[in-house]
Amino acid sequence: MRKFLSRFLVLSVFVVSFSIFFPLTSVSASKNSNNLIETTVIGHRGGSAHAPENTIAAFDKAVELNADYFELDVQMTKDGELIIMHDTTVDRTTDGSGKIKDLTFEEIKQLDAGSWFDPSFAGEKVPSFEEVLDRYRDEDIGILIELKDPELYPGIEQKVADALIEHNMDESNNDKWIVQSFNWESVQKFHEILPSMPTGALVGHGEAEDGEITNEMLESISSYAKYINPNKSLLDKNTVDRIHQYNLTTWPYTIKDEEWVDRLIDMGVDGIITDNPEFLIPNAKQMKSLIDKLIKEGELIGEKAKHDLKLHLTSVHHYEKEENTDKVIKHMNGFKSLLEQNKENKQISDKVYSILYDHANALIQKWKL
Ligand code: G3P
Ligand code: CA
């Protein structure tokens, strides 16, 4: 699986020089050196457009679609267990009813968390936080952990920190695991308990001041958090630039409409929290640019390998334009075989193989959706 932090997206009309107007932070400077953009992709509640939110099926879907992270919501049961669910009641996303804080872990574990989404997911369970950490700790995907309504669960910050420590996930590890909340006091509390973990402040319309993310907010948030993740409608280019001036990284939520992707990337955001990680899977033409970028970065791709791989991608792109799913999948499988041969013949490096192979798999998954 490709390293979880990098993604390249070609936007042909995107040529901007922020530096004329704003001092560049390291984040924005690295992103605009040419027309290949690195954008972090976060599967909201997993790949929740395709599987029941906040379940293992949804998190696996985010892995399959090559997301860099999946996001989840943590809450606490009556008997003090951490479970994954968005709403504070089980009513919408299970066949049960009642508040999470009034139900025991065992009671919640009996519920069906899949059928409401589609009968094919019948029997999907509400995952515990433990279970998720166990399953994905060593996977090549990060986890964006939201403390959901922590004011309802006194002590949840310590519990989450303890679970992360127990799993040796309390070091930043290149920001692979991040804790965020709309409740900024809770984020500060968590930061004091576990300063080694990166944290994020979520900003909805309720947290903003008259629809504005002010410099005062940014100054305060930057003293305890690395990330500020706002509702997409609170952002414009000026706000994103101000966020970067405070050395904060910004991942807006929740993108459900593909049109928003380009708009937000044009603003200079660092990541996109989306129900549809496939929106950011590069198409075959973009994969050709990725090959050029890898060569520029000094990665091994022999001349013949470069020619053959790009030629193959040209024909895949032709079938993409025709929306010929069978042919796209067939030729992407051919592309994977070509990668294998070139790896065996040492015409491409292991890193190139792994990046392109993962992109190829993700592209196939996208066409299978
Ligand atoms: O991570 C951002 C997003 O999850 C915040 O909104 O309501 O989906 O938890 P919500
Ligand atoms: Ca959430």
Side-chain angles (χ1 to χ4, degrees), residues 20 31 57 111 168 175 178 196 212 230 238 328 342:
I20 297 168
K31 287 172 62 180
L111 305 175
N168 290 319
D175 287 12
I178 302 163
S196 57
E212 283 275 314
N238 172 274
V328 170
N342 277 295

Side-chain angles (χ1 to χ4, degrees), residues 183-208:
N183 182 326
W184 300 348
E185 273 178 32
S186 177
V187 179
Q188 287 182 63
K189 201 182 286 177
F190 185 86
H191 176 67
E192 279 157 26
I193 295 171
L194 212 48
S196 57
M197 283 290 289
T199 48
L202 281 159
V203 190
H205 284 274
E207 288 71 35

Side-chain angles (χ1 to χ4, degrees), residues 96-201:
S97 66
K99 292 181 180 165
I100 294 171
K101 70 183 181 64
D102 294 337
L103 294 165
T104 65
F105 181 66
E106 264 324 298
E107 284 168 335
I108 288 180
K109 270 295 181 187
Q110 302 307 315
L111 305 175
D112 178 342
S115 295
W116 70 275
F117 185 83
D118 188 272
S120 62
F121 291 100
E124 194 68 38
K125 298 291 177 201
V126 175
S128 68
F129 188 48
E130 278 284 311
E131 207 178 324
V132 174
L133 299 187
D134 283 340
R135 187 178 175 98
Y136 299 101
R137 182 191 178 284
D138 297 322
E139 290 295 319
D140 197 7
I141 190 156
I143 311 177
L144 178 60
I145 301 159
E146 180 181 345
L147 307 178
K148 178 57 83 190
D149 295 316
E151 57 286 355
L152 296 177
Y153 311 107
I156 194 167
E157 297 83 3
Q158 185 67 54
K159 285 231 176 208
V160 168
D162 290 344
L164 291 166
I165 292 167
E166 238 168 69
H167 286 77
N168 290 319
M169 292 165 79
D170 54 317
E171 294 299 329
S172 105
N173 196 1
N174 214 3
D175 287 12
K176 188 172 178 185
W177 307 296
I178 302 163
V179 173
Q180 64 168 2
S181 185
F182 283 104
N183 182 326
W184 300 348
E185 273 178 32
S186 177
V187 179
Q188 287 182 63
K189 201 182 286 177
F190 185 86
H191 176 67
E192 279 157 26
I193 295 171
L194 212 48
S196 57
M197 283 290 289
T199 48

